[in-house]
Amino acid sequence: MADFASRVKCVLGPTNTGKTHLAMERMLAHGSGIIGFPLRLLARENYERMVAIKGANHVALITGEEKIVPPAARWFACTVEAMPLDRKVEFLAVDEIQLCADPDRGHIFTARLLAARGLVETMFLGAETIRPLVRRLVPEAEIETRPRLSRLLYDGAVKLSHLAPRSAIVAFSAEEVYAIAEAIRRRRGGCAVVMGRMAPRTRNAQVALYQNREVDFLVATDAIGMGLNMDVDHVAFAGLGKFDGSRPRRLSAPELAQIAGRAGRGLRDGGFGTTARCPPLDEALVTAIEGHRFEPLAQLYWRNTALDFTSPAALLASLQAPPPGPGLARGHEASDVTTLAALVRDPALRALADRPGRVALLWEAASIPDFRKLGDDTHARFAARVFAHLVRGERLPAAWIAGQIEALSRPEGDIDTLMQRLAGIRIWAYVAARPDWLADAAHWQARARAVEDLLSDALHERLTARFVDRRATQLLRRLDAGGGEALLSAVTAAGEVVVEGHAVGRMAGLSFVPDPRALGEQRRLVERAARRSLATEIGRRVARLAALPDSAFALSADHHVTWEGAPLARLLAGANLARPRVMAVENDFVAGGLALRVRERAALYIERRIAADLAPLPALAAAAEAPMLRGIAHLLGEGLGIVPIEQVPEGEIAAALRARLARNGVCAGRFAVWLPAMLKPRAMALRAQLLALARGIATPPLPPPGAIAIAAPAPWPEALSLALGWLPAGPVLLRLDIAEAAIADLHRATRRGRCPLPAGLAGRLGVKAAMLPAVVRALGFRLIPAASLPADHAGPPAPSLVAARRPRPPRPAARPRPAAGPFAALAVLRHG
C-alpha cells in the first residue's frame, strides 16, 4: 500500500469522455472510497448505482440535507461540501474540479484539491482549463487527458418552432424558463423543466418525462451542465448571460461548452446553437467550443480552512485571511460568512460566544445553508435562534421543529410557492441531519424527507400540468413520423373524435369542431390530426345522409341546410322564390364526388320541405280553371301566398271572383290577397327564409306563434312586412288576417255613416287602448271626438249599443264605458 500512498491523478477533458465512469470503477475496485459531486442530485444518482453493485449495507449517501450511513458502509457518495474527510479511505475523488474557479463555491473545491487525499489513490476529474494550476499547486499529480467520445457541432440559430425533437433549451432565469416552456407547450406539445433550485425528486421526475419520451423537449437553466446525462441531441441557448448572485455577466466560453456538451452521448454526435431572441454565436466562440480549446484558468478561489475560534472577531478575521500564494484568490463572500457577520453584530449573541467551543458552535449555526435566499435577515434570525438553544446545552425544541415543518407541509399553491416551501424544508432537512442538535433526529429526518417528497411530487404535477400537453406531443410525434401510416382514430356515439387515444374535438354533421381548449398552434395541430384520421368517417357519414329522415335537417338563419347543427349546404336565390339553388359546403373533408352527393341530399330536403310547408300553393294552381282565377293563383305562387292589392290587375277582384277565391281558400282584402294557410307558423317560417334569401339578407326573427300584433318597428326591412303577412298600423304591426277582418267589420259598421267605436276593438287587435286611435287611423278610419257630435245626433250615445254586434256579448254586470276615451264615433276615410 505504501507504494501508492502518494498517488494523485487528474483526469481532464470535455464532457462525454467517461471521466465519472472511470472514477466510479476505480473507487469500487478499492476496499473503501469517497467521491464528491457538485450536486446533491448527482450524489443521489451515483449512490443508487453503487447500491446496485455493492448493496445498500455497504454504501452511504451524505449530503447537506440527507445522510444514509449504514454501520458497515465502505463506499460514500457525497456532495463536495459534505465529504467526511475525517474518514480514512483507500480512494478519494472529486468531480468537476474546475469549479475551483467558481467565485461562490470555488473555495470548497480548492480545499479538496489541496488537502483531501485517499490512502492509496486520489482522483480529480474536470476540464482541461485547470491543468496549469494543478501543475503549480499539486505538482505531484499525474495528469491524463481524455478526448470526447463524439463530436460537438454548431447548428446555428434555430427558431423555437423549428427545433428538432430531443432538444434542450437553456435559459438563465426562472422567468425565461417559464416563458420558453409555455411557448414550447403551445407550439410543440410540451416539455420537461429542470432548474437548480429543484429538489432531486422533482428533477428526476421531470428528467424521466424527457427520458421516457413523454415529451421531446427540455427547458432548463445551466443546472443541466453538471453531469446530468440525458439523451439530448441538440442544446439551444436562449441567452448568453446570467445574474451570478452579485451582478449580471456573460457566460465564459468554457461555461457555454460545459452546457453545450450535454448534447450527444457515447459515440453519438451532438449539436448546439441559439434560439428565441439569442443572437448567433460568433465564429471564434464556435471554434473554441467545437475544438474544446479554451484559455486556461488564471486563478482558483480559496478560503482559509485553519480557522481561529478564540473569539467571534478572530473567527471573522481568519475567514478573511489573504491567499497564501499565487494562483489563489478570495472569492465572493459566501452566505455563511454573511450570516456570521450578522450574528456577531448582535451583542447578546456575541456575549454568549465567549469561548472557543461556543465560537465553533456559532460558526456551525451560521453555516446552515440559506436555500431560501430571501435577501433579508430571515435566515440570520433563524441561525441566531438555533445557536441560542444550542449554546445553553439544549436540543432544539420539538414543538418548534414540528410547527415549522407542518407549516411547510402544504402541497397546494403555484410553482413558485412550492419551490419556496421546498427551499424551506431543505433547511430543516439539513438541521435534522445533525443528531447532536435534536432529540430523536431519525424521526425528524424521516419527517423532513416525507414533506420534501410531498412537495416535490406536487411541484412535478404543477410543472407537468402547466408545461406538458400529452395529447399534442403524441399527435405531433405520430404526424411527423411520415410514411403515410393511418392514425388510430374513432368517433364515439356522442360524436367525440378520438385520435391515438386523445380527444381532439367532435363531429357535427360533416364538419370537425376542434376541442375549444385548443388554441393557436394546438388548434392547428388537432385540425391536422383530424384531416389525417377522418377521411373514412366522412365517407361513412355522407353515405348515411341518403337514409336520414328529413327531420334530421334544419334551415339556419344564414340560409344553410344544417345537420347536427353544422352547415351541410347553402341556399342561393333561384329563378323564383320557391325554387332556390342548393350548393354543398366544401371543406377539408367534403369535395368532388362527396360534395355532389351532399348537394343532392340537401336539394331533396329543400324540395320536400317547400312541397310540404307550402302545399296549398300548388293545390290552388291545380284547382284554378278560369283564366282570372289562374292569374290570381300565379301571383300567389310568385309571392308565396300573399300579394299586395296594388299588384293585382284592376278589376280582377270583382264580387263574383271574390266568392270563387273564397271557395278555393283565398282571401281578398283591402290591402292584400292571401292564402290563410300561409300565415301558419311552419309556412310563415319557410316563407320568411325564402323571402330573405331573395333579398340577400339573413332570415329575420318572427313573432311567436299566436301573436296578432307586435310593436313597430319590425325586426325586418319595412318593405318586407306585408310580404311576411304583417300590416303596418302606426305604432304596431298587425297580422294580416286579423287586420283585414277588423277593417271589413268597421267598413260594414260605417257604411251608412259614422258609428260608435266598437267595444273590445283594442283586445281584438291585440293592442293597448291608448294605442287604438293611432292604429284605427293607420287602418284608414277617421275618429270623431264625442264632444264634437251634433246635439241632434240620433245615434246611440254609448258604444254598448254597438257591442251587441260583437261575436261575444258583454257580461251582464259590466258597466258601459267609452272604448277610446274622448272618441265615441268613427267615419270611413277614403282609401286611395
Side-chain angles (χ1 to χ4, degrees), residues 578-606:
R579 291 186 179 179
R581 292 182 295 129
V582 180
M583 181 175 292
V585 174
E586 297 193 14
N587 54 35
D588 292 335
F589 309 106
V590 178
L594 289 180
L596 179 61
R597 293 165 65 186
V598 170
R599 190 202 70 79
E600 290 173 348
R601 181 62 184 93
L604 180 61
Y605 162 71
I606 291 299

mmCIF file of all heavy atoms in Angstrom, residues 578-606:
data_model
loop_
_atom_site.group_PDB
_atom_site.id
_atom_site.type_symbol
_atom_site.label_atom_id
_atom_site.label_comp_id
_atom_site.label_asym_id
_atom_site.label_seq_id
_atom_site.Cartn_x
_atom_site.Cartn_y
_atom_site.Cartn_z
ATOM 1 N N ALA A 578 -89.752 30.082 -54.790
ATOM 2 C CA ALA A 578 -89.982 28.713 -54.342
ATOM 3 C C ALA A 578 -88.982 27.720 -54.918
ATOM 4 O O ALA A 578 -89.105 26.520 -54.669
ATOM 5 C CB ALA A 578 -91.403 28.286 -54.698
ATOM 6 N N ARG A 579 -87.994 28.185 -55.661
ATOM 7 C CA ARG A 579 -87.016 27.272 -56.230
ATOM 8 C C ARG A 579 -85.591 27.797 -56.017
ATOM 9 O O ARG A 579 -84.914 28.218 -56.956
ATOM 10 C CB ARG A 579 -87.283 27.072 -57.724
ATOM 11 C CG ARG A 579 -88.558 26.309 -58.016
ATOM 12 C CD ARG A 579 -88.708 26.018 -59.483
ATOM 13 N NE ARG A 579 -89.915 25.267 -59.762
ATOM 14 C CZ ARG A 579 -90.304 24.886 -60.985
ATOM 15 N NH1 ARG A 579 -89.550 25.233 -62.035
ATOM 16 N NH2 ARG A 579 -91.417 24.195 -61.152
ATOM 17 N N PRO A 580 -85.126 27.768 -54.795
ATOM 18 C CA PRO A 580 -83.752 28.216 -54.538
ATOM 19 C C PRO A 580 -82.752 27.182 -55.059
ATOM 20 O O PRO A 580 -83.062 25.996 -55.191
ATOM 21 C CB PRO A 580 -83.699 28.308 -53.012
ATOM 22 C CG PRO A 580 -84.694 27.298 -52.544
ATOM 23 C CD PRO A 580 -85.807 27.330 -53.557
ATOM 24 N N ARG A 581 -81.551 27.657 -55.343
ATOM 25 C CA ARG A 581 -80.472 26.750 -55.728
ATOM 26 C C ARG A 581 -79.778 26.236 -54.470
ATOM 27 O O ARG A 581 -79.757 26.902 -53.432
ATOM 28 C CB ARG A 581 -79.470 27.468 -56.625
ATOM 29 C CG ARG A 581 -80.050 27.832 -57.991
ATOM 30 C CD ARG A 581 -79.021 28.506 -58.876
ATOM 31 N NE ARG A 581 -78.603 29.797 -58.348
ATOM 32 C CZ ARG A 581 -77.351 30.174 -58.165
ATOM 33 N NH1 ARG A 581 -76.361 29.323 -58.428
ATOM 34 N NH2 ARG A 581 -77.064 31.369 -57.699
ATOM 35 N N VAL A 582 -79.170 25.067 -54.538
ATOM 36 C CA VAL A 582 -78.502 24.433 -53.393
ATOM 37 C C VAL A 582 -77.068 24.105 -53.773
ATOM 38 O O VAL A 582 -76.813 23.560 -54.860
ATOM 39 C CB VAL A 582 -79.244 23.152 -52.951
ATOM 40 C CG1 VAL A 582 -78.545 22.512 -51.760
ATOM 41 C CG2 VAL A 582 -80.701 23.457 -52.622
ATOM 42 N N MET A 583 -76.114 24.438 -52.892
ATOM 43 C CA MET A 583 -74.708 24.148 -53.141
ATOM 44 C C MET A 583 -74.101 23.562 -51.865
ATOM 45 O O MET A 583 -74.296 24.085 -50.765
ATOM 46 C CB MET A 583 -73.953 25.433 -53.523
ATOM 47 C CG MET A 583 -72.474 25.202 -53.827
ATOM 48 S SD MET A 583 -71.668 26.714 -54.404
ATOM 49 C CE MET A 583 -72.486 26.923 -55.987
ATOM 50 N N ALA A 584 -73.367 22.459 -52.013
ATOM 51 C CA ALA A 584 -72.739 21.814 -50.852
ATOM 52 C C ALA A 584 -71.659 22.722 -50.262
ATOM 53 O O ALA A 584 -70.972 23.446 -50.984
ATOM 54 C CB ALA A 584 -72.131 20.475 -51.249
ATOM 55 N N VAL A 585 -71.532 22.703 -48.931
ATOM 56 C CA VAL A 585 -70.459 23.426 -48.248
ATOM 57 C C VAL A 585 -69.210 22.550 -48.294
ATOM 58 O O VAL A 585 -69.164 21.478 -47.682
ATOM 59 C CB VAL A 585 -70.834 23.736 -46.789
ATOM 60 C CG1 VAL A 585 -69.642 24.355 -46.054
ATOM 61 C CG2 VAL A 585 -72.030 24.677 -46.742
ATOM 62 N N GLU A 586 -68.210 22.976 -49.048
ATOM 63 C CA GLU A 586 -66.981 22.191 -49.154
ATOM 64 C C GLU A 586 -66.014 22.596 -48.047
ATOM 65 O O GLU A 586 -65.946 23.754 -47.647
ATOM 66 C CB GLU A 586 -66.346 22.384 -50.531
ATOM 67 C CG GLU A 586 -67.239 21.886 -51.672
ATOM 68 C CD GLU A 586 -66.489 21.793 -52.989
ATOM 69 O OE1 GLU A 586 -65.250 21.857 -52.972
ATOM 70 O OE2 GLU A 586 -67.155 21.651 -54.032
ATOM 71 N N ASN A 587 -65.280 21.598 -47.534
ATOM 72 C CA ASN A 587 -64.253 21.852 -46.528
ATOM 73 C C ASN A 587 -63.108 20.876 -46.740
ATOM 74 O O ASN A 587 -62.986 20.281 -47.818
ATOM 75 C CB ASN A 587 -64.850 21.726 -45.113
ATOM 76 C CG ASN A 587 -65.555 20.407 -44.879
ATOM 77 O OD1 ASN A 587 -65.125 19.373 -45.402
ATOM 78 N ND2 ASN A 587 -66.636 20.431 -44.117
ATOM 79 N N ASP A 588 -62.270 20.690 -45.717
ATOM 80 C CA ASP A 588 -61.122 19.800 -45.859
ATOM 81 C C ASP A 588 -61.538 18.359 -46.121
ATOM 82 O O ASP A 588 -60.731 17.546 -46.581
ATOM 83 C CB ASP A 588 -60.258 19.845 -44.592
ATOM 84 C CG ASP A 588 -59.573 21.186 -44.428
ATOM 85 O OD1 ASP A 588 -59.368 21.859 -45.445
ATOM 86 O OD2 ASP A 588 -59.241 21.556 -43.284
ATOM 87 N N PHE A 589 -62.779 18.017 -45.783
ATOM 88 C CA PHE A 589 -63.223 16.638 -45.878
ATOM 89 C C PHE A 589 -64.198 16.403 -47.039
ATOM 90 O O PHE A 589 -64.327 15.283 -47.519
ATOM 91 C CB PHE A 589 -63.914 16.217 -44.581
ATOM 92 C CG PHE A 589 -63.111 16.515 -43.349
ATOM 93 C CD1 PHE A 589 -63.455 17.554 -42.500
ATOM 94 C CD2 PHE A 589 -61.997 15.758 -43.028
ATOM 95 C CE1 PHE A 589 -62.717 17.828 -41.369
ATOM 96 C CE2 PHE A 589 -61.255 16.017 -41.901
ATOM 97 C CZ PHE A 589 -61.602 17.065 -41.062
ATOM 98 N N VAL A 590 -64.943 17.424 -47.438
ATOM 99 C CA VAL A 590 -66.018 17.262 -48.419
ATOM 100 C C VAL A 590 -65.657 18.017 -49.698
ATOM 101 O O VAL A 590 -65.551 19.246 -49.685
ATOM 102 C CB VAL A 590 -67.356 17.776 -47.864
ATOM 103 C CG1 VAL A 590 -68.446 17.635 -48.917
ATOM 104 C CG2 VAL A 590 -67.726 17.014 -46.597
ATOM 105 N N ALA A 591 -65.478 17.279 -50.783
ATOM 106 C CA ALA A 591 -65.172 17.877 -52.083
ATOM 107 C C ALA A 591 -65.473 16.831 -53.154
ATOM 108 O O ALA A 591 -65.724 15.662 -52.861
ATOM 109 C CB ALA A 591 -63.709 18.320 -52.142
ATOM 110 N N GLY A 592 -65.472 17.278 -54.408
ATOM 111 C CA GLY A 592 -65.640 16.360 -55.524
ATOM 112 C C GLY A 592 -66.922 15.565 -55.449
ATOM 113 O O GLY A 592 -68.026 16.096 -55.270
ATOM 114 N N GLY A 593 -66.806 14.227 -55.588
ATOM 115 C CA GLY A 593 -67.966 13.360 -55.591
ATOM 116 C C GLY A 593 -68.750 13.401 -54.298
ATOM 117 O O GLY A 593 -69.997 13.333 -54.307
ATOM 118 N N LEU A 594 -68.047 13.534 -53.167
ATOM 119 C CA LEU A 594 -68.758 13.625 -51.893
ATOM 120 C C LEU A 594 -69.620 14.878 -51.861
ATOM 121 O O LEU A 594 -70.757 14.860 -51.386
ATOM 122 C CB LEU A 594 -67.753 13.632 -50.727
ATOM 123 C CG LEU A 594 -67.016 12.320 -50.435
ATOM 124 C CD1 LEU A 594 -66.065 12.508 -49.265
ATOM 125 C CD2 LEU A 594 -67.989 11.192 -50.128
ATOM 126 N N ALA A 595 -69.090 15.981 -52.357
ATOM 127 C CA ALA A 595 -69.838 17.233 -52.367
ATOM 128 C C ALA A 595 -71.088 17.112 -53.232
ATOM 129 O O ALA A 595 -72.153 17.656 -52.902
ATOM 130 C CB ALA A 595 -68.957 18.377 -52.862
ATOM 131 N N LEU A 596 -70.983 16.391 -54.361
ATOM 132 C CA LEU A 596 -72.140 16.210 -55.234
ATOM 133 C C LEU A 596 -73.249 15.442 -54.520
ATOM 134 O O LEU A 596 -74.430 15.801 -54.596
ATOM 135 C CB LEU A 596 -71.706 15.479 -56.501
ATOM 136 C CG LEU A 596 -72.824 15.181 -57.514
ATOM 137 C CD1 LEU A 596 -73.456 16.474 -58.012
ATOM 138 C CD2 LEU A 596 -72.270 14.367 -58.683
ATOM 139 N N ARG A 597 -72.858 14.387 -53.793
ATOM 140 C CA ARG A 597 -73.862 13.595 -53.058
ATOM 141 C C ARG A 597 -74.502 14.416 -51.947
ATOM 142 O O ARG A 597 -75.706 14.311 -51.675
ATOM 143 C CB ARG A 597 -73.209 12.340 -52.489
ATOM 144 C CG ARG A 597 -72.763 11.362 -53.573
ATOM 145 C CD ARG A 597 -71.817 10.319 -53.043
ATOM 146 N NE ARG A 597 -72.465 9.439 -52.069
ATOM 147 C CZ ARG A 597 -71.807 8.505 -51.361
ATOM 148 N NH1 ARG A 597 -70.500 8.359 -51.533
ATOM 149 N NH2 ARG A 597 -72.456 7.741 -50.512
ATOM 150 N N VAL A 598 -73.725 15.257 -51.302
ATOM 151 C CA VAL A 598 -74.258 16.127 -50.252
ATOM 152 C C VAL A 598 -75.257 17.113 -50.856
ATOM 153 O O VAL A 598 -76.340 17.346 -50.312
ATOM 154 C CB VAL A 598 -73.118 16.876 -49.531
ATOM 155 C CG1 VAL A 598 -73.674 17.949 -48.611
ATOM 156 C CG2 VAL A 598 -72.263 15.890 -48.734
ATOM 157 N N ARG A 599 -74.896 17.711 -51.998
ATOM 158 C CA ARG A 599 -75.795 18.686 -52.630
ATOM 159 C C ARG A 599 -77.121 18.037 -53.021
ATOM 160 O O ARG A 599 -78.195 18.614 -52.821
ATOM 161 C CB ARG A 599 -75.123 19.280 -53.877
ATOM 162 C CG ARG A 599 -75.876 20.466 -54.457
ATOM 163 C CD ARG A 599 -75.531 20.702 -55.911
ATOM 164 N NE ARG A 599 -76.059 19.650 -56.762
ATOM 165 C CZ ARG A 599 -77.332 19.578 -57.152
ATOM 166 N NH1 ARG A 599 -78.216 20.485 -56.759
ATOM 167 N NH2 ARG A 599 -77.724 18.602 -57.926
ATOM 168 N N GLU A 600 -77.044 16.824 -53.558
ATOM 169 C CA GLU A 600 -78.266 16.149 -53.973
ATOM 170 C C GLU A 600 -79.191 15.882 -52.791
ATOM 171 O O GLU A 600 -80.408 16.070 -52.884
ATOM 172 C CB GLU A 600 -77.911 14.831 -54.676
ATOM 173 C CG GLU A 600 -77.262 15.032 -56.050
ATOM 174 C CD GLU A 600 -76.772 13.729 -56.653
ATOM 175 O OE1 GLU A 600 -76.736 12.715 -55.905
ATOM 176 O OE2 GLU A 600 -76.409 13.733 -57.849
ATOM 177 N N ARG A 601 -78.602 15.443 -51.654
ATOM 178 C CA ARG A 601 -79.455 15.160 -50.489
ATOM 179 C C ARG A 601 -80.041 16.441 -49.918
ATOM 180 O O ARG A 601 -81.219 16.491 -49.537
ATOM 181 C CB ARG A 601 -78.653 14.429 -49.396
ATOM 182 C CG ARG A 601 -79.488 14.077 -48.162
ATOM 183 C CD ARG A 601 -80.604 13.127 -48.532
ATOM 184 N NE ARG A 601 -81.493 12.823 -47.433
ATOM 185 C CZ ARG A 601 -82.623 13.454 -47.147
ATOM 186 N NH1 ARG A 601 -82.987 14.498 -47.913
ATOM 187 N NH2 ARG A 601 -83.390 13.084 -46.154
ATOM 188 N N ALA A 602 -79.252 17.510 -49.873
ATOM 189 C CA ALA A 602 -79.746 18.777 -49.348
ATOM 190 C C ALA A 602 -80.838 19.342 -50.263
ATOM 191 O O ALA A 602 -81.848 19.880 -49.790
ATOM 192 C CB ALA A 602 -78.603 19.778 -49.198
ATOM 193 N N ALA A 603 -80.666 19.217 -51.573
ATOM 194 C CA ALA A 603 -81.673 19.718 -52.524
ATOM 195 C C ALA A 603 -82.982 18.950 -52.375
ATOM 196 O O ALA A 603 -84.078 19.531 -52.457
ATOM 197 C CB ALA A 603 -81.142 19.612 -53.945
ATOM 198 N N LEU A 604 -82.878 17.642 -52.148
ATOM 199 C CA LEU A 604 -84.081 16.845 -51.952
ATOM 200 C C LEU A 604 -84.816 17.283 -50.686
ATOM 201 O O LEU A 604 -86.049 17.374 -50.677
ATOM 202 C CB LEU A 604 -83.708 15.365 -51.868
ATOM 203 C CG LEU A 604 -84.873 14.388 -51.662
ATOM 204 C CD1 LEU A 604 -85.871 14.476 -52.824
ATOM 205 C CD2 LEU A 604 -84.344 12.956 -51.504
ATOM 206 N N TYR A 605 -84.061 17.580 -49.662
ATOM 207 C CA TYR A 605 -84.683 18.059 -48.410
ATOM 208 C C TYR A 605 -85.428 19.364 -48.648
ATOM 209 O O TYR A 605 -86.578 19.541 -48.216
ATOM 210 C CB TYR A 605 -83.613 18.239 -47.336
ATOM 211 C CG TYR A 605 -84.043 19.123 -46.184
ATOM 212 C CD1 TYR A 605 -84.996 18.689 -45.259
ATOM 213 C CD2 TYR A 605 -83.516 20.409 -46.036
ATOM 214 C CE1 TYR A 605 -85.402 19.509 -44.220
ATOM 215 C CE2 TYR A 605 -83.916 21.228 -44.999
ATOM 216 C CZ TYR A 605 -84.855 20.774 -44.092
ATOM 217 O OH TYR A 605 -85.264 21.590 -43.072
ATOM 218 N N ILE A 606 -84.802 20.313 -49.345
ATOM 219 C CA ILE A 606 -85.434 21.608 -49.604
ATOM 220 C C ILE A 606 -86.688 21.428 -50.467
ATOM 221 O O ILE A 606 -87.743 22.032 -50.210
ATOM 222 C CB ILE A 606 -84.437 22.561 -50.298
ATOM 223 C CG1 ILE A 606 -83.318 22.959 -49.314
ATOM 224 C CG2 ILE A 606 -85.138 23.806 -50.818
ATOM 225 C CD1 ILE A 606 -83.804 23.699 -48.088
#
